[in-house]
Amino acid sequence: MRSMAIFTWTGSKVAARPSAIEPKRRGGRVLRYVLLTPIRLGWWMASKIERSTGILFTLLIGAALLVGGFFLCSTFIGMILGIPMIVAGGFLALRALY
């Protein structure tokens, strides 16, 4: 009987009808997870690099990657390496500044 009382007080609303006040959530959590995971991973990696090398060195590496990425983006073939370099350099520079 005790387990039934606990279930009554803490049970989920599986069988209950959805309220008209509550908005329906359709995939918002999954979409947010998919869109924010690369940003979280980049910030995490930049934080690891910043903790192990220091703020100034991280800022110099980030600036070098940004400049190198911009120069590589001047050609179509170089964009394959230039765009990821710009993104990585941006994460490193932002992490060093903040």
mmCIF file of all heavy atoms in Angstrom, residues 36-77:
data_model
loop_
_atom_site.group_PDB
_atom_site.id
_atom_site.type_symbol
_atom_site.label_atom_id
_atom_site.label_comp_id
_atom_site.label_asym_id
_atom_site.label_seq_id
_atom_site.Cartn_x
_atom_site.Cartn_y
_atom_site.Cartn_z
ATOM 1 N N LEU A 36 23.357 23.155 -30.620
ATOM 2 C CA LEU A 36 24.286 23.702 -29.643
ATOM 3 C C LEU A 36 25.454 22.787 -29.309
ATOM 4 O O LEU A 36 26.424 23.237 -28.710
ATOM 5 C CB LEU A 36 23.541 24.079 -28.359
ATOM 6 C CG LEU A 36 22.555 25.219 -28.485
ATOM 7 C CD1 LEU A 36 21.882 25.482 -27.160
ATOM 8 C CD2 LEU A 36 23.234 26.471 -28.996
ATOM 9 N N THR A 37 25.389 21.521 -29.669
ATOM 10 C CA THR A 37 26.465 20.600 -29.342
ATOM 11 C C THR A 37 27.805 20.993 -29.976
ATOM 12 O O THR A 37 28.824 20.957 -29.288
ATOM 13 C CB THR A 37 26.079 19.161 -29.727
ATOM 14 O OG1 THR A 37 24.931 18.797 -28.981
ATOM 15 C CG2 THR A 37 27.193 18.183 -29.427
ATOM 16 N N PRO A 38 27.878 21.383 -31.253
ATOM 17 C CA PRO A 38 29.181 21.795 -31.784
ATOM 18 C C PRO A 38 29.747 23.030 -31.084
ATOM 19 O O PRO A 38 30.961 23.133 -30.878
ATOM 20 C CB PRO A 38 28.890 22.100 -33.262
ATOM 21 C CG PRO A 38 27.648 21.377 -33.567
ATOM 22 C CD PRO A 38 26.863 21.328 -32.306
ATOM 23 N N ILE A 39 28.892 23.943 -30.679
ATOM 24 C CA ILE A 39 29.367 25.138 -29.987
ATOM 25 C C ILE A 39 29.888 24.769 -28.601
ATOM 26 O O ILE A 39 30.951 25.252 -28.177
ATOM 27 C CB ILE A 39 28.241 26.189 -29.906
ATOM 28 C CG1 ILE A 39 27.881 26.633 -31.318
ATOM 29 C CG2 ILE A 39 28.641 27.377 -29.046
ATOM 30 C CD1 ILE A 39 26.643 27.470 -31.409
ATOM 31 N N ARG A 40 29.167 23.903 -27.905
ATOM 32 C CA ARG A 40 29.630 23.454 -26.595
ATOM 33 C C ARG A 40 30.950 22.703 -26.700
ATOM 34 O O ARG A 40 31.847 22.881 -25.877
ATOM 35 C CB ARG A 40 28.595 22.540 -25.961
ATOM 36 C CG ARG A 40 27.428 23.244 -25.403
ATOM 37 C CD ARG A 40 26.507 22.236 -24.760
ATOM 38 N NE ARG A 40 25.555 22.888 -23.895
ATOM 39 C CZ ARG A 40 24.582 22.267 -23.282
ATOM 40 N NH1 ARG A 40 24.443 20.971 -23.448
ATOM 41 N NH2 ARG A 40 23.767 22.919 -22.518
ATOM 42 N N LEU A 41 31.080 21.850 -27.702
ATOM 43 C CA LEU A 41 32.307 21.084 -27.883
ATOM 44 C C LEU A 41 33.483 22.006 -28.213
ATOM 45 O O LEU A 41 34.575 21.832 -27.678
ATOM 46 C CB LEU A 41 32.134 20.048 -28.990
ATOM 47 C CG LEU A 41 33.332 19.157 -29.274
ATOM 48 C CD1 LEU A 41 33.650 18.292 -28.063
ATOM 49 C CD2 LEU A 41 33.061 18.287 -30.474
ATOM 50 N N GLY A 42 33.262 22.986 -29.075
ATOM 51 C CA GLY A 42 34.329 23.941 -29.402
ATOM 52 C C GLY A 42 34.751 24.755 -28.200
ATOM 53 O O GLY A 42 35.953 24.976 -27.971
ATOM 54 N N TRP A 43 33.804 25.204 -27.405
ATOM 55 C CA TRP A 43 34.140 25.981 -26.205
ATOM 56 C C TRP A 43 34.868 25.117 -25.184
ATOM 57 O O TRP A 43 35.799 25.560 -24.520
ATOM 58 C CB TRP A 43 32.875 26.580 -25.608
ATOM 59 C CG TRP A 43 33.161 27.595 -24.560
ATOM 60 C CD1 TRP A 43 33.092 27.432 -23.230
ATOM 61 C CD2 TRP A 43 33.593 28.943 -24.773
ATOM 62 N NE1 TRP A 43 33.436 28.586 -22.593
ATOM 63 C CE2 TRP A 43 33.749 29.534 -23.512
ATOM 64 C CE3 TRP A 43 33.854 29.694 -25.915
ATOM 65 C CZ2 TRP A 43 34.158 30.842 -23.351
ATOM 66 C CZ3 TRP A 43 34.260 31.002 -25.747
ATOM 67 C CH2 TRP A 43 34.412 31.565 -24.488
ATOM 68 N N TRP A 44 34.460 23.843 -25.058
ATOM 69 C CA TRP A 44 35.120 22.921 -24.140
ATOM 70 C C TRP A 44 36.569 22.674 -24.548
ATOM 71 O O TRP A 44 37.472 22.696 -23.706
ATOM 72 C CB TRP A 44 34.334 21.618 -24.090
ATOM 73 C CG TRP A 44 34.937 20.579 -23.205
ATOM 74 C CD1 TRP A 44 34.907 20.533 -21.849
ATOM 75 C CD2 TRP A 44 35.682 19.439 -23.632
ATOM 76 N NE1 TRP A 44 35.579 19.418 -21.407
ATOM 77 C CE2 TRP A 44 36.061 18.733 -22.471
ATOM 78 C CE3 TRP A 44 36.050 18.941 -24.885
ATOM 79 C CZ2 TRP A 44 36.796 17.559 -22.525
ATOM 80 C CZ3 TRP A 44 36.778 17.779 -24.935
ATOM 81 C CH2 TRP A 44 37.140 17.096 -23.774
ATOM 82 N N MET A 45 36.789 22.460 -25.857
ATOM 83 C CA MET A 45 38.156 22.236 -26.336
ATOM 84 C C MET A 45 39.014 23.484 -26.156
ATOM 85 O O MET A 45 40.173 23.400 -25.761
ATOM 86 C CB MET A 45 38.149 21.808 -27.811
ATOM 87 C CG MET A 45 37.671 20.405 -28.051
ATOM 88 S SD MET A 45 38.704 19.163 -27.265
ATOM 89 C CE MET A 45 40.208 19.364 -28.164
ATOM 90 N N ALA A 46 38.441 24.653 -26.431
ATOM 91 C CA ALA A 46 39.189 25.890 -26.237
ATOM 92 C C ALA A 46 39.519 26.100 -24.770
ATOM 93 O O ALA A 46 40.614 26.585 -24.434
ATOM 94 C CB ALA A 46 38.387 27.073 -26.784
ATOM 95 N N SER A 47 38.625 25.720 -23.891
ATOM 96 C CA SER A 47 38.891 25.843 -22.462
ATOM 97 C C SER A 47 40.013 24.908 -22.029
ATOM 98 O O SER A 47 40.859 25.281 -21.204
ATOM 99 C CB SER A 47 37.629 25.536 -21.657
ATOM 100 O OG SER A 47 36.634 26.467 -21.928
ATOM 101 N N LYS A 48 40.012 23.694 -22.551
ATOM 102 C CA LYS A 48 41.091 22.753 -22.231
ATOM 103 C C LYS A 48 42.441 23.288 -22.699
ATOM 104 O O LYS A 48 43.440 23.218 -21.973
ATOM 105 C CB LYS A 48 40.834 21.396 -22.897
ATOM 106 C CG LYS A 48 39.729 20.613 -22.312
ATOM 107 C CD LYS A 48 40.221 19.913 -21.093
ATOM 108 C CE LYS A 48 39.170 18.914 -20.659
ATOM 109 N NZ LYS A 48 39.517 18.296 -19.404
ATOM 110 N N ILE A 49 42.492 23.821 -23.915
ATOM 111 C CA ILE A 49 43.745 24.374 -24.443
ATOM 112 C C ILE A 49 44.172 25.583 -23.636
ATOM 113 O O ILE A 49 45.346 25.752 -23.300
ATOM 114 C CB ILE A 49 43.585 24.705 -25.937
ATOM 115 C CG1 ILE A 49 43.418 23.424 -26.736
ATOM 116 C CG2 ILE A 49 44.768 25.512 -26.449
ATOM 117 C CD1 ILE A 49 43.028 23.636 -28.171
ATOM 118 N N GLU A 50 43.223 26.439 -23.268
ATOM 119 C CA GLU A 50 43.550 27.646 -22.506
ATOM 120 C C GLU A 50 44.074 27.298 -21.120
ATOM 121 O O GLU A 50 45.014 27.918 -20.629
ATOM 122 C CB GLU A 50 42.302 28.531 -22.409
ATOM 123 C CG GLU A 50 42.557 29.909 -21.853
ATOM 124 C CD GLU A 50 42.346 29.961 -20.367
ATOM 125 O OE1 GLU A 50 41.489 29.227 -19.852
ATOM 126 O OE2 GLU A 50 43.058 30.733 -19.712
ATOM 127 N N ARG A 51 43.484 26.297 -20.477
ATOM 128 C CA ARG A 51 43.961 25.893 -19.156
ATOM 129 C C ARG A 51 45.348 25.286 -19.210
ATOM 130 O O ARG A 51 46.122 25.440 -18.274
ATOM 131 C CB ARG A 51 42.993 24.908 -18.520
ATOM 132 C CG ARG A 51 41.893 25.601 -17.770
ATOM 133 C CD ARG A 51 41.050 24.612 -16.992
ATOM 134 N NE ARG A 51 39.695 24.733 -17.523
ATOM 135 C CZ ARG A 51 38.947 23.739 -17.923
ATOM 136 N NH1 ARG A 51 39.379 22.515 -17.858
ATOM 137 N NH2 ARG A 51 37.744 23.954 -18.394
ATOM 138 N N SER A 52 45.676 24.599 -20.283
ATOM 139 C CA SER A 52 46.968 23.926 -20.345
ATOM 140 C C SER A 52 48.088 24.829 -20.869
ATOM 141 O O SER A 52 49.251 24.591 -20.540
ATOM 142 C CB SER A 52 46.871 22.667 -21.202
ATOM 143 O OG SER A 52 46.607 23.008 -22.542
ATOM 144 N N THR A 53 47.769 25.841 -21.667
ATOM 145 C CA THR A 53 48.841 26.668 -22.243
ATOM 146 C C THR A 53 48.892 28.078 -21.691
ATOM 147 O O THR A 53 49.942 28.708 -21.754
ATOM 148 C CB THR A 53 48.684 26.755 -23.772
ATOM 149 O OG1 THR A 53 47.440 27.374 -24.073
ATOM 150 C CG2 THR A 53 48.775 25.398 -24.411
ATOM 151 N N GLY A 54 47.798 28.612 -21.208
ATOM 152 C CA GLY A 54 47.791 29.977 -20.713
ATOM 153 C C GLY A 54 47.012 30.902 -21.630
ATOM 154 O O GLY A 54 46.763 30.593 -22.797
ATOM 155 N N ILE A 55 46.667 32.069 -21.080
ATOM 156 C CA ILE A 55 45.802 32.999 -21.808
ATOM 157 C C ILE A 55 46.528 33.639 -22.992
ATOM 158 O O ILE A 55 46.006 33.691 -24.103
ATOM 159 C CB ILE A 55 45.264 34.076 -20.851
ATOM 160 C CG1 ILE A 55 44.331 33.435 -19.827
ATOM 161 C CG2 ILE A 55 44.524 35.160 -21.614
ATOM 162 C CD1 ILE A 55 43.891 34.376 -18.736
ATOM 163 N N LEU A 56 47.729 34.122 -22.770
ATOM 164 C CA LEU A 56 48.436 34.838 -23.835
ATOM 165 C C LEU A 56 48.760 33.921 -25.007
ATOM 166 O O LEU A 56 48.556 34.293 -26.169
ATOM 167 C CB LEU A 56 49.713 35.471 -23.280
ATOM 168 C CG LEU A 56 50.512 36.314 -24.268
ATOM 169 C CD1 LEU A 56 49.682 37.511 -24.725
ATOM 170 C CD2 LEU A 56 51.802 36.764 -23.646
ATOM 171 N N PHE A 57 49.250 32.725 -24.712
ATOM 172 C CA PHE A 57 49.588 31.794 -25.785
ATOM 173 C C PHE A 57 48.338 31.356 -26.548
ATOM 174 O O PHE A 57 48.361 31.212 -27.776
ATOM 175 C CB PHE A 57 50.324 30.577 -25.206
ATOM 176 C CG PHE A 57 50.962 29.707 -26.250
ATOM 177 C CD1 PHE A 57 52.012 30.178 -27.014
ATOM 178 C CD2 PHE A 57 50.494 28.431 -26.471
ATOM 179 C CE1 PHE A 57 52.593 29.393 -27.981
ATOM 180 C CE2 PHE A 57 51.068 27.629 -27.433
ATOM 181 C CZ PHE A 57 52.123 28.114 -28.190
ATOM 182 N N THR A 58 47.236 31.182 -25.838
ATOM 183 C CA THR A 58 45.973 30.825 -26.491
ATOM 184 C C THR A 58 45.506 31.947 -27.406
ATOM 185 O O THR A 58 45.027 31.706 -28.514
ATOM 186 C CB THR A 58 44.893 30.521 -25.441
ATOM 187 O OG1 THR A 58 45.361 29.479 -24.587
ATOM 188 C CG2 THR A 58 43.604 30.080 -26.094
ATOM 189 N N LEU A 59 45.662 33.187 -26.954
ATOM 190 C CA LEU A 59 45.283 34.326 -27.793
ATOM 191 C C LEU A 59 46.160 34.410 -29.036
ATOM 192 O O LEU A 59 45.666 34.673 -30.142
ATOM 193 C CB LEU A 59 45.375 35.622 -26.992
ATOM 194 C CG LEU A 59 44.899 36.892 -27.683
ATOM 195 C CD1 LEU A 59 43.425 36.776 -28.040
ATOM 196 C CD2 LEU A 59 45.127 38.087 -26.793
ATOM 197 N N LEU A 60 47.450 34.151 -28.896
ATOM 198 C CA LEU A 60 48.349 34.183 -30.056
ATOM 199 C C LEU A 60 48.030 33.059 -31.044
ATOM 200 O O LEU A 60 48.018 33.280 -32.261
ATOM 201 C CB LEU A 60 49.802 34.082 -29.597
ATOM 202 C CG LEU A 60 50.342 35.301 -28.847
ATOM 203 C CD1 LEU A 60 51.740 35.024 -28.328
ATOM 204 C CD2 LEU A 60 50.322 36.520 -29.736
ATOM 205 N N ILE A 61 47.756 31.873 -30.530
ATOM 206 C CA ILE A 61 47.388 30.763 -31.414
ATOM 207 C C ILE A 61 46.072 31.056 -32.124
ATOM 208 O O ILE A 61 45.929 30.822 -33.333
ATOM 209 C CB ILE A 61 47.280 29.435 -30.626
ATOM 210 C CG1 ILE A 61 48.658 28.980 -30.172
ATOM 211 C CG2 ILE A 61 46.646 28.346 -31.467
ATOM 212 C CD1 ILE A 61 48.611 27.769 -29.263
ATOM 213 N N GLY A 62 45.099 31.580 -31.386
ATOM 214 C CA GLY A 62 43.804 31.915 -31.984
ATOM 215 C C GLY A 62 43.936 32.974 -33.067
ATOM 216 O O GLY A 62 43.333 32.862 -34.137
ATOM 217 N N ALA A 63 44.749 34.001 -32.805
ATOM 218 C CA ALA A 63 44.951 35.049 -33.811
ATOM 219 C C ALA A 63 45.667 34.499 -35.043
ATOM 220 O O ALA A 63 45.319 34.843 -36.180
ATOM 221 C CB ALA A 63 45.740 36.199 -33.209
ATOM 222 N N ALA A 64 46.657 33.637 -34.826
ATOM 223 C CA ALA A 64 47.373 33.044 -35.958
ATOM 224 C C ALA A 64 46.449 32.164 -36.801
ATOM 225 O O ALA A 64 46.508 32.194 -38.042
ATOM 226 C CB ALA A 64 48.564 32.226 -35.452
ATOM 227 N N LEU A 65 45.587 31.398 -36.137
ATOM 228 C CA LEU A 65 44.640 30.569 -36.884
ATOM 229 C C LEU A 65 43.626 31.414 -37.649
ATOM 230 O O LEU A 65 43.249 31.081 -38.780
ATOM 231 C CB LEU A 65 43.914 29.605 -35.947
ATOM 232 C CG LEU A 65 44.719 28.409 -35.445
ATOM 233 C CD1 LEU A 65 43.930 27.648 -34.399
ATOM 234 C CD2 LEU A 65 45.090 27.499 -36.586
ATOM 235 N N LEU A 66 43.183 32.510 -37.046
ATOM 236 C CA LEU A 66 42.255 33.404 -37.741
ATOM 237 C C LEU A 66 42.890 34.008 -38.986
ATOM 238 O O LEU A 66 42.296 34.003 -40.072
ATOM 239 C CB LEU A 66 41.789 34.514 -36.802
ATOM 240 C CG LEU A 66 40.684 34.157 -35.825
ATOM 241 C CD1 LEU A 66 40.523 35.252 -34.783
ATOM 242 C CD2 LEU A 66 39.391 33.947 -36.559
ATOM 243 N N VAL A 67 44.100 34.534 -38.845
ATOM 244 C CA VAL A 67 44.783 35.160 -39.987
ATOM 245 C C VAL A 67 45.092 34.122 -41.068
ATOM 246 O O VAL A 67 44.870 34.357 -42.259
ATOM 247 C CB VAL A 67 46.066 35.881 -39.520
ATOM 248 C CG1 VAL A 67 46.911 36.338 -40.695
ATOM 249 C CG2 VAL A 67 45.701 37.062 -38.629
ATOM 250 N N GLY A 68 45.593 32.960 -40.646
ATOM 251 C CA GLY A 68 45.881 31.903 -41.616
ATOM 252 C C GLY A 68 44.625 31.416 -42.325
ATOM 253 O O GLY A 68 44.643 31.155 -43.532
ATOM 254 N N GLY A 69 43.541 31.320 -41.604
ATOM 255 C CA GLY A 69 42.274 30.909 -42.214
ATOM 256 C C GLY A 69 41.752 31.922 -43.209
ATOM 257 O O GLY A 69 41.231 31.563 -44.265
ATOM 258 N N PHE A 70 41.903 33.210 -42.883
ATOM 259 C CA PHE A 70 41.472 34.241 -43.821
ATOM 260 C C PHE A 70 42.304 34.209 -45.106
ATOM 261 O O PHE A 70 41.771 34.365 -46.198
ATOM 262 C CB PHE A 70 41.553 35.628 -43.192
ATOM 263 C CG PHE A 70 40.392 35.947 -42.301
ATOM 264 C CD1 PHE A 70 40.591 36.340 -40.999
ATOM 265 C CD2 PHE A 70 39.084 35.844 -42.762
ATOM 266 C CE1 PHE A 70 39.529 36.623 -40.169
ATOM 267 C CE2 PHE A 70 38.007 36.131 -41.949
ATOM 268 C CZ PHE A 70 38.238 36.523 -40.640
ATOM 269 N N PHE A 71 43.602 33.985 -44.976
ATOM 270 C CA PHE A 71 44.429 33.898 -46.176
ATOM 271 C C PHE A 71 44.102 32.659 -47.001
ATOM 272 O O PHE A 71 44.118 32.711 -48.230
ATOM 273 C CB PHE A 71 45.915 33.911 -45.817
ATOM 274 C CG PHE A 71 46.449 35.281 -45.542
ATOM 275 C CD1 PHE A 71 47.075 35.563 -44.340
ATOM 276 C CD2 PHE A 71 46.305 36.299 -46.470
ATOM 277 C CE1 PHE A 71 47.562 36.825 -44.074
ATOM 278 C CE2 PHE A 71 46.786 37.565 -46.218
ATOM 279 C CZ PHE A 71 47.416 37.833 -45.013
ATOM 280 N N LEU A 72 43.825 31.549 -46.334
ATOM 281 C CA LEU A 72 43.475 30.342 -47.082
ATOM 282 C C LEU A 72 42.126 30.473 -47.784
ATOM 283 O O LEU A 72 41.900 29.847 -48.812
ATOM 284 C CB LEU A 72 43.449 29.124 -46.155
ATOM 285 C CG LEU A 72 44.797 28.521 -45.808
ATOM 286 C CD1 LEU A 72 44.614 27.408 -44.791
ATOM 287 C CD2 LEU A 72 45.469 27.976 -47.047
ATOM 288 N N CYS A 73 41.230 31.274 -47.248
ATOM 289 C CA CYS A 73 39.912 31.443 -47.866
ATOM 290 C C CYS A 73 39.960 32.283 -49.138
ATOM 291 O O CYS A 73 38.932 32.462 -49.796
ATOM 292 C CB CYS A 73 38.930 32.069 -46.877
ATOM 293 S SG CYS A 73 38.324 30.872 -45.685
ATOM 294 N N SER A 74 41.110 32.766 -49.498
ATOM 295 C CA SER A 74 41.207 33.548 -50.733
ATOM 296 C C SER A 74 41.103 32.655 -51.975
ATOM 297 O O SER A 74 40.840 33.151 -53.060
ATOM 298 C CB SER A 74 42.513 34.342 -50.759
ATOM 299 O OG SER A 74 43.613 33.461 -50.779
ATOM 300 N N THR A 75 41.326 31.356 -51.821
ATOM 301 C CA THR A 75 41.155 30.428 -52.937
ATOM 302 C C THR A 75 40.044 29.443 -52.611
ATOM 303 O O THR A 75 39.738 29.195 -51.443
ATOM 304 C CB THR A 75 42.447 29.641 -53.219
ATOM 305 O OG1 THR A 75 42.730 28.814 -52.086
ATOM 306 C CG2 THR A 75 43.610 30.567 -53.490
ATOM 307 N N PHE A 76 39.455 28.877 -53.637
ATOM 308 C CA PHE A 76 38.350 27.939 -53.433
ATOM 309 C C PHE A 76 38.821 26.663 -52.739
ATOM 310 O O PHE A 76 38.148 26.149 -51.853
ATOM 311 C CB PHE A 76 37.693 27.611 -54.779
ATOM 312 C CG PHE A 76 36.488 26.750 -54.633
ATOM 313 C CD1 PHE A 76 35.316 27.263 -54.109
ATOM 314 C CD2 PHE A 76 36.515 25.412 -55.004
ATOM 315 C CE1 PHE A 76 34.190 26.469 -53.954
ATOM 316 C CE2 PHE A 76 35.394 24.613 -54.855
ATOM 317 C CZ PHE A 76 34.231 25.142 -54.337
ATOM 318 N N ILE A 77 39.971 26.153 -53.138
ATOM 319 C CA ILE A 77 40.504 24.925 -52.536
ATOM 320 C C ILE A 77 40.923 25.187 -51.094
ATOM 321 O O ILE A 77 40.749 24.341 -50.217
ATOM 322 C CB ILE A 77 41.699 24.395 -53.362
ATOM 323 C CG1 ILE A 77 41.282 24.111 -54.797
ATOM 324 C CG2 ILE A 77 42.318 23.170 -52.721
ATOM 325 C CD1 ILE A 77 40.257 23.015 -54.943
#
